[in-house]
Amino acid sequence: MSLKVEFDFSSTYEPDLGNISIYANVLSLETKEEAEKILKEWKDKKKLPEPFMRQTFNFMLRRCNIKALVLAEDLNLPSPIQLPKLQSKQVREEEDE
């Protein structure tokens, strides 16, 4: 049985520089029993079971952050996520103090 999770990923640049918004769906194939359990918890408590939520949200964040990074570069906006960068030894020592 498949479950569809709709979501909206948004990154806003202030003041009024721009906005990246991604609306999408994630389809998850589950056993009938697991799908019924997930749907029941959603209907009763408006919560998703932790393992399903973690797996689904991590997938969404991974896909959307990559897409937003490319869009930000195309639109000449700052990266929506902090990228790793090299620092000189002097800068690292000053930060450690």
Side-chain angles (χ1 to χ4, degrees), residues 9-65:
F9 176 92
S10 184
S11 185
T12 303
Y13 298 88
E14 297 291 341
D16 286 334
L17 294 175
N19 182 42
I20 295 174
S21 212
I22 301 170
Y23 177 78
N25 301 306
V26 172
L27 293 177
S28 180
L29 297 176
E30 303 291 339
T31 64
K32 183 177 179 182
E33 296 79 22
E34 188 64 25
E36 288 172 351
K37 177 182 160 190
I38 293 168
L39 289 172
K40 180 174 178 10
E41 188 163 341
W42 178 253
K43 287 177 184 175
D44 293 347
K45 301 177 185 176
K46 295 294 183 210
K47 285 180 63 178
L48 295 171
E50 197 276 330
F52 177 79
M53 181 184 67
R54 185 179 61 246
Q55 178 183 9
T56 305
F57 282 28
N58 283 334
F59 178 81
M60 287 185 243
L61 288 170
R62 186 174 59 250
R63 297 295 300 264
C64 288
N65 277 321

